[in-house]
Every structure is written in structure tokens, then in C-alpha cells.
Amino acid sequence: MLDVRPIRVESLGEKLATELRRRIIVGDVASGTRLVEEELADSFQVSRGPVRDAIRILRSEGLVTGSGRSAVTRSLSEADIDELMALREAFELLAVERAIAVRREVLARDLRVALVDMDAALAARDSSAFTTADIRFHSAFFAAAGLTRLSVLWDQFRPTIEGLLHASGKRLADLAPSAREHHDLAALITAGKVAEVRAELHRHLQTTCSRLRSAIPSTPVQRENQP
């Protein structure tokens, strides 16, 4: 039998959350903007149900605060990015070490698949496709680790991290060096060199954190408590 995984269909609420997340991260929606269900439903030409779902998703990610009619947006600060990336590193280190210990061959296979997509994006000079492959590469750690609760945590933070990566955008000149880093990391993982993997992953994520911090727009004063 073919080794395939079920195709997950994104709900309308998730699609709305993706669009709103992007607008919040890049600063198109100012921090403290009140989210009114009726207005959003009219703007996106959908019912209020998917809008409520989108707001719930973004609230769980820390991009919306309050509840009901008092829901307002919250932009990401440099401190938020530092926190997200620190959590990401802790999660990824735990996942990759577990995956190396219990399913290294499966992980190596999944990393090769992601690297094929990454190399194709590099050849096409497509930074958006490159970022998608980048996230697929790192998500493979969690799939191979087989730790349910850790995967749930990653799924909660991954959309914001992916949104940040897409919003910051890799310069075309950065794609080749980043591809080499991922190939090197995959080689270390395949060889089971845990100490070297830890060091390389830390360096790689620190570089990513610095790029994200420099790319986010300045955050205005929060207006979360205003009507």
C-alpha cells in the first residue's frame, strides 16, 4: 500500500483566520482594532459563524484579546517574537531528539521530501514556496516524534510562526544559504548526531529570530481597554 496521509480540508473559519493573521502581523490592522463580527462577515461576505471561529483561533494564538464584542487585535512585539521562538526551540529540540531515538528513518525520509520542495522553490526563486517547505521540514520533527501533546502545542503556535515567516519574507539572496543549513541539519539528523543537531538547530533558530525581530513593524500603544 502507498504510504499516504489523509488530506485535511481547511475550514472557512481557518481561512479567515489566516487572512486576518497576516493583516495583523504585517500591520495592515492596527493593534487594538476592535473586531466586530457583523462588519467582518459583511466584508468577507460570509456568515458570522466562520468569523467567530476565526476570532477564537486568533485569540488562542494571542493575536486577539477580550471576548465577544470586546475582541480587539494585538500586534506582536519583539518580546512576543522572542517568547515564540524560545518556545519553538524548546518544542523542536524535544521533538527532534525523540524522533531520532524512535523513528529516525521515517524522519529522514520526511525531511528529504521537504528538501525536494525547498530546492524546487530555490530554483524557482519563490520565497513563499520556500517558507512553506521550511515549515514542512520542521513540522516533520513533531510528526515523527509521535508525542500527541507536543504536536498539539506545535499546531497551536505553528500558524503564527508561519505567518511571521511569510510576512518577513526571505530575500532571494538568503534562500541558498538557508537551503544549505537545512540540508546540513538533515544530514546530522540522519546520522543520529544529537549533540550536533542541538547546536545547529539552536544557531539556525537564533538566526531566524533575529530576522523576524528586524522585520516586524513597530507596534503602536495598545488600545485593548478602550471601547
Side-chain angles (χ1 to χ4, degrees):
M1 294 180 60
L2 293 175
D3 182 12
V4 297
R5 296 173 184 171
I7 298 174
R8 180 178 177 278
V9 179
E10 190 176 37
S11 71
L12 184 53
E14 289 171 323
K15 291 179 180 178
L16 292 179
T18 297
E19 177 59 21
L20 288 171
R21 183 187 302 111
R22 181 192 65 79
R23 296 185 186 187
I24 293 170
I25 288 173
V26 302
D28 288 346
V29 175
S31 183
T33 298
R34 184 182 172 203
L35 299 180
V36 181
E37 289 182 8
E38 296 89 339
E39 294 178 359
L40 288 173
D42 288 342
S43 297
F44 287 108
Q45 296 185 338
V46 298
S47 65
R48 291 172 60 182
V51 172
R52 283 193 293 270
D53 290 341
I55 291 175
R56 175 184 54 77
I57 291 169
L58 296 177
R59 184 181 293 114
S60 72
E61 297 173 10
L63 293 174
V64 168
T65 62
S67 60
R69 294 183 178 276
S70 63
V72 295
T73 61
R74 179 182 181 277
S75 299
L76 294 174
S77 65
E78 290 187 358
D80 290 320
I81 291 177
D82 288 342
E83 180 183 5
L84 276 170
M85 292 302 293
L87 288 170
R88 177 186 178 182
E89 181 172 344
F91 295 161
E92 287 200 22
L93 285 172
L94 179 57
V96 75
E97 288 186 26
R98 167 76 175 184
I100 289 172
V102 300
R103 299 181 75 200
R104 189 180 357 149
E105 292 183 1
V106 171
L107 175 57
R109 180 201 64 197
D110 290 348
L111 295 181
R112 286 194 297 270
V113 172
L115 289 172
V116 168
D117 291 342
M118 192 174 292
D119 291 341
L122 172 60
R125 299 169 65 82
D126 186 338
S127 60
S128 179
F130 189 96
T131 294
T132 298
D134 184 336
I135 288 292
R136 187 176 302 124
F137 180 98
H138 291 271
S139 294
F141 301 169
F142 299 89
L147 298 174
T148 301
R149 292 169 183 80
L150 188 61
S151 292
V152 168
L153 289 170
W154 171 244
D155 287 342
Q156 180 181 351
F157 289 102
R158 181 194 55 75
T160 303
I161 292 171
E162 185 169 6
L164 277 167
L165 290 172
H166 278 291
S168 66
K170 272 190 170 71
R171 296 174 302 173
L172 294 177
D174 294 333
L175 298 186
S178 182
R180 285 195 297 272
E181 288 180 7
H182 285 87
H183 276 279
D184 290 344
L185 185 55
L188 292 172
I189 290 170
T190 301
K193 298 181 178 180
V194 175
E196 289 89 338
V197 168
R198 290 181 63 89
E200 179 62 20
L201 185 59
H202 172 74
R203 188 193 64 76
H204 173 69
L205 294 180
Q206 286 297 306
T207 299
T208 300
C209 184
S210 296
R211 177 166 64 84
L212 294 180
R213 292 174 83 251
S214 64
I216 63 168
S218 56
T219 305
V221 176
Q222 301 288 322
R223 302 194 305 274
E224 295 171 2
N225 295 323
Q226 293 185 12

